[in-house]
Amino acid sequence: MMTRRALLKTGALAVFSTTLGGLPTFIPRAALAATNNKSPKNKVLVAIFQRGAMDGLMAVQPQNDANLTKLRSGLIIPSTSAGKEGLLNLDDRFGLHPGASALHKLYQSKELCVVHGIGSPDNTRSHFDAQDYMETGTPGRKGTGSGWLNRAIGALGHEPTPFQSVSLTTALPRSMYGECPSLAVGNLDEFKVQAGSAGNQSLESLYRDLGDDKKSKKDQSQVGQLLKKRGSDAFDATKIVSTSEFRNYRPANGADYPKTNLGRSLRQIAQLIKSGVGLEIAFTEQGGWDTHVGQGTIQGNFSRQLKELSDSIAAFWTDLGDGYQDQVMLMTMTEFGRTVHQNGSNGTDHGRGSCMFVLGHGLKGGQVFGKVPELALENLEDKRDLPVTTDFRSLFCDVANHHLGVPSGKMSQLFPGWNGNQLGVFARA
Amino acid sequence: MLMRNKPLKLVAKFSLVVVPLCGTLFSNALADPVRVPQMPYKSLGLSRSQAAAHLLSRFSYGATPGQVEQVAARGPEVWFVEQLNAGKDNATEVALKQLPVEGLSLRDIASTYLPQNVLDRQAAQQGVIDASQVKGKNGPEVNRKVREFADAKGLHLERELVQQTVEQKLYRSVHTVNQLQEVMTEFWQNHFYVSLAKPQCRAFVYAYERDAIRPAALGRFRQILENSATHPAMLYYLDNAQSVSNPPEMNNKMVVQGKKKRGLNENFARELLELHTLGVDGGYSQKDVVEVARALTGWTAVPGRGAGMRMQAQIDQAQSKGQLNNRLVQRGDFVFLPNQHDPRPKKILGRNFPGLDGPNGYQEGEQVLDMLAEHPSTAQHIARKLAIRFVDDHPDPALINKLAQQFRRSHGDTKAMLIALVESPEFWKTRSSKVKSPLEYYASMMRALGGQVDLAQLENQGRARVLGKWFEKMGQQLYHYQAPTGFPDRAEQWINSGTLVSRINFAFALCGSQIPGLVLPQQQLQSVSKDLQSSAQYLMPGRDIEATVAQVSASSSKPEFFQSLKKNQDMAVDHEKFSSNQRNLALILSSPEFQKR
């Protein structure tokens, strides 16, 4: 296993000492944190967006609700009976889809909790609008320029580093739009300057030395300074991910990531965490949740999706191991849920409430939060959907406050115009 | 949608009024004679070629080989006036005919280019595939059947339209002779933003830029405002198409569509005030937002595809029978539905609107646009955005005030504003203070290298996707920004460690002719890039190149070895066939100096 210190010694530091004669500006703080036990380590929040709207009622199904059986007879996961696969018991009321057996273990060890009936107060059933609202953190307001994760970084007010806010997606997600520099890279293996060895060096010195030459006064300009800073970051950051330690990374503790984009993204997030490069917010996503057709039950589309998610998260958690889990919290989110009744193609259509998973230490783990009424027609939103009983912001701000350490006073910055209560998923809160 | 269900009933029940509208509304701006601007570059110590270089870097997508000298010789003022008087660009129009979408009306576009699920549904209706296969993940067999069905019917997938929407921009930015018009088209498109990211308006974005923005890009603000507010792309992007008067004002005649209740939707009204006109601190309240939304109820579109065509057919039929009798407000794809309009009085920004009934209700929206276009906050807001776009991320307040005055004096004449810009000393004092957006970076490289965008090659088997991916990695997936703000226009938006790495790699891939669809005159380039000095002079005429050349030469004598990505990896640059000349060009293009404009 590559420890943070090992990388700093043999990897990144070695590169810097031989080629640059200096440390990148963001390393000392991280290195200091690694050597000084008193200084608290960075907290890291990992967000996974399940695009397409996950059917929360299939992921975490109310047990023994006759209404549900009536409305979606073809989409019911049976209870576990002798020798037969079925719902994994969460509590008296709910069972977890067996595809998520890896998450079930984390639930049993009280590291994972579920929030059910969660969603947006805005009742749009458009993917675009609902994702927009969830990512900006301002339901009903389209004009919000920035994303809530970016504002969270801003509210923390830490010195920026190139890896402080990273999205493992090609394009920057809406959640990370905003003032604070965020890095979007689909795959860190491809994060390289490809100008050739001498070319890279030429460019590196060009960017690094901008404004240092007294003759070129102009590069004292803001643009010059920005290019100098981000250029230096770019060369530092690409060097870190091209060290042999980074490239030949072997997940710790026998962690086995699914060989999918999501699996790779989470593995690379784990690598960044362990490298001590100042990661605070990581984002990635999983598409394919828009199950209008042939959703399946124990097997099938939905099950495959959920298994990939669950196995990826569990591998990530195993990989982090005792050394890093305390620092990290992982949260899933999805734009809305799906209709309680099944449609004509053995699938479900766009609905309202869904569920989210939260993983980390210090949580009231092993619990299902939120209110899910008995699924009688009159209890449903518009007589069709699981009603939203928990505003997603009450979970997001809970996590931002208690995990990341964004002060309560800055919550209005994160979620302007909202003053609801935090959900209370933390044990020490 | 209401009209999908019972369009004829709608028409008959309220016997709408067709009001003939003024024919000039959609035509180009009034042709004011352009006066020759007095550019103060000389008194500020700039040479003519420095002035030409600066002017070209800000008001075009970059200089082509020899253009700086040319413009300097003829006079920067002459070039600028020519650009303001943009005429027809025949060569570009001819070249763009290679794109199948070019020349199709909005409705034809919308009914020809269909999302996969719509295409599946049509195929199922014709019995080509089974109804259960609609919207699913289908195997190759089903997909083949749908494809054959589409070919037979002349239908296409919507993603081909998305691709062409991007391709025309990639072409125009590099090749059009009307560079300033294209720059202003981008400016206004980004101001009155609509996005391909939203499925509901995706089919209309191409026509939006072509019909509503480009023809008016050098015209009056009021005109562009109206073009945008009445275009299906905007009506669907910000939901005004679905906004109907709330029940109480409708005397409890609830508008019901299926199980869904419909009512007032404030989205467009809010962005109209916040983003399009007054600006966020422009002095309006939440109450104003609601009142503007009420004034704009009934502003909707005859959409493309089936529902819209059925609606149009019924309108036409009723009209031909004389049943409508001048009772419907329709202009192209825009339609005003009086029965969805809130006829009650309103108070907007302190002014009382008595409330108009029937087809006259349309005038209320027009009056609101008039009022907003003439509002001092709008002048200030647009002035600020222009100053940021063309001068500096943090423009001098004195410059903003000057431009705002010009906006008010000229009633929002874009040309007058642009002239005021180049007559201001602030413009000439801020050379290289802006960072190029990825589009500007791409186009300026292509223009500097004398490259050619090969549309046929881009169109071929979706090869435009490679280029699209590069743009995504550089941080500007064209037309896909999700927020109605449009892409933020500031250096920090474009430059971070990730996008910078992609920019450098893009320059190398481009110079090595490794991007499908982008063709470089390699032989000619070989003769001008013998060393760094000549490469830099060729690519950045009129700019400060000493530092760049000195730095690069100092460290480039070292032996070169390449550590490329694996060839199958995305965006890998293949260095094997790289000549030292190509390398010189790529180094100059990826230098910090070339990132600026």
Side-chain angles (χ1 to χ4, degrees), chain B residues 135 151 266 282 316 374 382 485 489:
Chain B
K135 263 191 164 183
D151 287 347
E266 299 169 14
D316 291 347
E374 292 288 325
I382 301 302
T485 52
D489 186 6

Side-chain angles (χ1 to χ4, degrees), chain B residues 497-545:
Chain B
S497 52
T499 55
L500 206 46
V501 168
S502 298
R503 280 181 183 233
I504 293 170
N505 292 341
F506 182 65
F508 273 79
L510 175 64
C511 290
S513 286
Q514 293 171 22
I515 301 173
L518 304 185
V519 183
L520 299 189
Q522 289 291 1
Q523 272 191 337
Q524 191 193 328
L525 287 172
Q526 208 168 349
S527 64
V528 296
S529 56
K530 293 242 168 359
D531 53 46
L532 280 166
Q533 179 75 29
S534 45
S535 303
Q537 267 166 359
Y538 188 73
L539 297 172
M540 295 197 284
R543 296 276 289 268
D544 302 333
I545 57 169

Side-chain angles (χ1 to χ4, degrees), chain A residues 4-5 8 29-37 39:
Chain A
R4 176 216 310 254
R5 210 165 300 178
L8 288 173
R29 190 170 68 92
L32 201 68
T35 49
N36 181 357
N37 288 330
S39 71

Side-chain angles (χ1 to χ4, degrees), chain A residues 20-41:
Chain A
L20 299 171
L23 286 168
T25 47
F26 66 94
I27 282 288
R29 190 170 68 92
L32 201 68
T35 49
N36 181 357
N37 288 330
K38 280 176 204 158
S39 71
K41 290 174 179 173

Side-chain angles (χ1 to χ4, degrees), chain A residues 204-252:
Chain A
E204 177 166 356
S205 49
L206 262 184
Y207 279 93
R208 249 183 231 290
D209 299 346
L210 269 174
D212 293 351
D213 178 6
K214 279 178 193 141
K215 276 180 275 175
S216 55
K217 282 181 211 140
K218 216 188 311 166
D219 286 338
Q220 302 292 346
S221 69
Q222 283 190 3
V223 165
Q225 286 304 305
L226 179 77
L227 286 165
K228 177 189 170 82
K229 255 195 225 146
R230 298 292 157 253
S232 306
D233 285 353
F235 285 95
D236 292 344
T238 50
K239 270 176 201 157
I240 286 180
V241 301
S242 64
T243 55
S244 59
E245 281 80 0
F246 205 94
R247 276 184 293 134
N248 303 323
Y249 178 74
R250 296 278 296 272

Side-chain angles (χ1 to χ4, degrees), chain B residues 129-172:
Chain B
I129 61 169
D130 192 76
S132 69
Q133 290 161 328
V134 173
K135 263 191 164 183
K137 276 182 196 148
N138 293 318
E141 182 58 17
V142 173
N143 288 340
R144 185 186 56 77
K145 282 185 189 164
V146 174
R147 211 162 42 238
E148 282 172 8
F149 164 79
D151 287 347
K153 296 266 175 189
L155 300 175
H156 296 273
L157 278 175
E158 197 175 60
R159 65 162 181 264
E160 295 174 38
L161 171 65
V162 167
Q163 189 177 309
Q164 292 177 58
T165 308
V166 173
E167 283 167 355
Q168 60 84 25
K169 192 58 158 191
L170 295 174
Y171 188 89
R172 285 179 193 275

